[in-house]
Amino acid sequence: MMFLWTWMSRFAVAVGLLVSALAQLCTPEYGYEGYAYIVNDQSDLDAIAANCTTVNGTIIMSANYTGGFNLSNIRNITENIQWFQANRSDVRPQTTSIYLPDLKYLGGTLDMPGIPTLTSLIAPKLATVGWSLSIDYVQEVDLRSLVDLEYLSITGNVSSLRLDSLRQVRESILICNKVSCNSKISPNGSLDLYLPALQSAGNMDLEGRFSSFDTPNLTNITGLGALYYSIKLLTSGGSAINISFPELKYIPGGAVDFEGNIGSLSIPDISNMSALFTVDAYDRLDINLPFQEAAYITLTGNITSVRLPNLTSIEQFTVNSDADIDCKSLEQTITTATNKSEPLVICSTSWTSSGSHFSLHLHLGAKVAFGVFIGIFVEFAMS
Ligand SMILES: *[C@@H]1O[C@H](CO)[C@@H](O)[C@H](O)[C@H]1NC(C)=O
Ligand SMILES: *[C@@H]1O[C@H](CO)[C@@H](O)[C@H](O)[C@H]1NC(C)=O
Ligand SMILES: *[C@@H]1O[C@H](CO)[C@@H](O)[C@H](O)[C@H]1NC(C)=O
Ligand SMILES: *[C@@H]1O[C@H](CO)[C@@H](O)[C@H](O)[C@H]1NC(C)=O
Ligand SMILES: *[C@@H]1O[C@H](CO)[C@@H](O)[C@H](O)[C@H]1NC(C)=O
Ligand SMILES: *[C@@H]1O[C@H](CO)[C@@H](O)[C@H](O)[C@H]1NC(C)=O
Ligand SMILES: *[C@@H]1O[C@H](CO)[C@@H](O)[C@H](O)[C@H]1NC(C)=O
Ligand SMILES: *[C@@H]1O[C@H](CO)[C@@H](O)[C@H](O)[C@H]1NC(C)=O
Ligand SMILES: *[C@@H]1O[C@H](CO)[C@@H](O)[C@H](O)[C@H]1NC(C)=O
Ligand SMILES: *[C@@H]1O[C@H](CO)[C@@H](O)[C@H](O)[C@H]1NC(C)=O
Ligand SMILES: *[C@@H]1O[C@H](CO)[C@@H](O)[C@H](O)[C@H]1NC(C)=O
Ligand SMILES: *[C@@H]1O[C@H](CO)[C@@H](O)[C@H](O)[C@H]1NC(C)=O
């Protein structure tokens, strides 16, 4: 049977549903946007849901879409879900939420940029996205079944994020709980960033205000993808969180950058840090990393101590600390550990001793008996 009706969109796309009672596969008519249903409101979605379980094509939200977008019954969309952006005007959908309760498979892309009214994306059964998923302005995202895709980008005042099953993002993963990822303004709320199943990512950029961070199964950063960083993690405006990559074994070159309210930093299994490695600590932070070989390490902010007990080789080590760090001892121990005479260390501190704060916290390759001695001396002097 062939049902034909006219969609009263600006683009007046005539859409047909070719209905087979058994397969319930619907192929939209070919139009200006390819094989696509253009939907103007919920009733258009209900019409698709009434007769289809598979959409062999794309669903496009028109620019004047308003309210909730609730697409039940559809399990398979072979191409994309997007909104109509070809006509660059100021008109944007006023969509409030996207709810895909039955969708398991999306062959192409879910692309929903630039809709400030959007608050949620809920697709609890969506397991596979063929290419990418990109959404901004959202506060709640439930993709608990999503296993793998090429690109994942989620931006907004995100306060609730479920990616329970996400195992692999072959290229880039970008999660920003700020309205704009470049913005300095984090939301008032904070986000628990929990990626329990993630094993491999091309590269990752995670920015905002996080109340916790956990990637217990992340093993590989492969270096594929469009981001400059191999890993960038920025958390600001909240309390200091512990950052740990307990299983991470492989990071290619590129850059690894940690910034913000960090309480501790642990990367126990990386012995060759060939990336540019930078830390900018807003809270007092003790650095203890097991790198044997490193390229360029730059530590700034409230760095209170540095341990690199396994270090044998490094290109350049730069410390610019706001805290009470002992540069002389640092230079000495790095030089001893790497057995090199040329200066590899640039160290400075803007901290001025108030007298009661004097301490020495440097323990690198070769243990410094001198440090122990100073510690005893300070205890003695203050008692
Ligand atoms: C969207 O615009 C089209 C025409 O441009 C109109 O027919 C349709 O009713 C509009 N939809 C809504 C929800 O306003
Ligand atoms: C859906 O299919 C049923 C039975 O085939 C038909 O009666 C109904 O009109 C169809 N609805 C739409 C919106 O096409
Ligand atoms: C799906 O749509 C394509 C056009 O994009 C068409 O060639 C193909 O025959 C359709 N598949 C089925 C099963 O109808
Ligand atoms: C979505 O649509 C389904 C089917 O019409 C309905 O049962 C459900 O309550 C709707 N959910 C929301 C959140 O609107
Ligand atoms: C989705 O539907 C298309 C077209 O019928 C089919 O080729 C494909 O295998 C389906 N995908 C899944 C995961 O069911
Ligand atoms: C694009 O939008 C402009 C301004 O809203 C309008 O004048 C023009 O007709 C639109 N073009 C198409 C192809 O819809
Ligand atoms: C996001 O959070 C910031 C800071 O709390 C707030 O100024 C902004 O209005 C929020 N934006 C949205 C879209 O909720
Ligand atoms: C964010 O916090 C500031 C200062 O505490 C407050 O003025 C503002 O209203 C808050 N904004 C939101 C969206 O909660
Ligand atoms: C993490 O990996 C371990 C072993 O590799 C596995 O047993 C566990 O289920 C994984 N956790 C999740 C949440 O996938
Ligand atoms: C991790 O990378 C190594 C070396 O490139 C590769 O052998 C391994 O298969 C990768 N593992 C995963 C889970 O991607
Ligand atoms: C660092 O050295 C300790 C003690 O020698 C060793 O157990 C550990 O495996 C080393 N870690 C790395 C990442 O090389
Ligand atoms: C370092 O920490 C102190 C408090 O311990 C704080 O006052 C100062 O602003 C911090 N410095 C930076 C660069 O965040």
Side-chain angles (χ1 to χ4, degrees):
M1 278 180 287
M2 174 77 137
F3 296 91
L4 191 73
W5 70 92
T6 305
W7 301 74
M8 300 293 287
S9 77
R10 179 180 293 152
F11 315 98
V13 177
V15 178
L17 289 181
L18 189 60
V19 179
S20 150
L22 288 173
Q24 292 188 281
L25 178 133
C26 305
T27 300
E29 280 205 343
Y30 188 80
Y32 183 62
E33 292 295 310
Y35 292 92
Y37 293 123
I38 313 269
V39 295
N40 288 312
D41 54 31
Q42 182 62 46
S43 67
D44 292 345
L45 292 173
D46 292 341
I48 297 168
N51 285 322
C52 315
T53 55
T54 293
V55 170
N56 182 26
T58 289
I59 294 183
I60 298 178
M61 198 187 271
S62 75
N64 67 0
Y65 198 100
T66 301
F69 181 102
N70 174 0
L71 183 62
S72 56
N73 206 38
I74 303 296
R75 290 174 229 153
N76 177 345
I77 296 173
T78 61
E79 292 178 22
N80 312 316
I81 302 175
Q82 61 196 73
W83 68 271
F84 191 83
Q85 296 166 75
N87 189 352
R88 293 279 170 207
S89 70
D90 293 342
V91 185
R92 278 164 197 273
Q94 307 275 305
T95 317
T96 51
S97 61
I98 296 178
Y99 183 46
L100 307 166
D102 300 309
L103 190 67
K104 289 182 179 155
Y105 175 86
L106 180 71
T109 290
L110 186 150
D111 192 24
M112 288 289 159
I115 306 179
T117 49
L118 205 52
T119 58
S120 63
L121 167 64
I122 312 290
K125 293 182 185 164
L126 182 60
T128 304
V129 170
W131 187 248
S132 79
L133 189 150
S134 171
I135 191 160
D136 51 17
Y137 290 103
V138 278
Q139 291 160 27
E140 182 186 5
V141 174
D142 185 342
L143 296 165
R144 69 181 71 182
S145 302
L146 185 61
V147 174
D148 67 345
L149 73 175
E150 294 293 316
Y151 291 93
L152 177 65
S153 170
I154 297 169
T155 303
N157 281 354
V158 186
S159 55
S160 167
L161 175 62
R162 289 199 58 174
L163 290 165
D164 311 32
S165 309
L166 187 65
R167 203 157 57 212
Q168 184 179 35
V169 181
R170 279 180 291 276
E171 303 200 38
S172 308
I173 173 166
L174 178 75
I175 297 174
C176 291
N177 88 323
K178 321 180 193 189
V179 165
S180 161
C181 203
N182 299 323
S183 150
K184 289 279 169 205
I185 303 161
S186 284
N188 285 8
S190 59
L191 174 67
D192 283 316
L193 191 53
Y194 182 41
L195 303 169
L198 188 65
Q199 289 176 359
S200 169
N203 50 22
M204 60 203 300
D205 186 347
L206 311 166
E207 301 185 34
R209 175 180 301 165
F210 302 121
S211 38
S212 66
F213 174 80
D214 203 4
T215 55
N217 275 339
L218 182 63
T219 310
N220 273 19
I221 298 292
T222 65
L224 286 175
L227 301 172
Y228 167 70
Y229 294 96
S230 290
I231 301 178
K232 180 179 175 81
L233 184 90
L234 165 63
T235 177
S236 67
S239 47
I241 60 168
N242 298 332
I243 293 173
S244 166
F245 295 92
E247 293 295 329
L248 188 59
K249 295 188 175 50
Y250 182 74
I251 301 180
V256 172
D257 186 62
F258 300 106
E259 181 182 345
N261 302 106
I262 301 167
S264 68
L265 182 58
S266 167
I267 316 175
D269 274 352
I270 298 281
S271 61
N272 183 356
M273 177 51 74
S274 58
L276 290 171
F277 185 86
T278 59
V279 177
D280 184 357
Y282 296 0
D283 297 301
R284 294 174 69 83
L285 178 64
D286 297 318
I287 296 288
N288 184 351
L289 293 164
F291 309 150
Q292 288 172 23
E293 293 170 49
Y296 294 85
I297 297 182
T298 303
L299 309 175
T300 57
N302 271 324
I303 304 293
T304 42
S305 72
V306 178
R307 283 170 180 259
L308 294 161
N310 296 23
L311 192 69
T312 58
S313 142
I314 188 166
E315 294 290 323
Q316 179 98 61
F317 189 71
T318 307
V319 179
N320 188 351
S321 175
D322 297 333
D324 46 340
I325 200 158
D326 187 313
C327 284
K328 261 216 169 70
S329 174
L330 177 63
E331 281 157 19
Q332 202 173 50
T333 46
I334 291 271
T335 305
T336 308
T338 56
N339 202 13
K340 282 202 180 164
S341 48
E342 66 262 42
L344 305 166
V345 181
I346 300 168
C347 181
S348 64
T349 173
S350 57
W351 192 76
T352 47
S353 172
S354 64
S356 63
H357 233 76
F358 185 58
S359 63
L360 185 71
H361 300 289
L362 282 166
H363 310 275
L364 294 116
K367 244 213 164 84
V368 193
F370 181 66
V372 177
F373 174 73
I374 294 288
I376 291 165
F377 173 76
V378 169
E379 260 176 31
F380 175 75
M382 293 191 333
S383 60

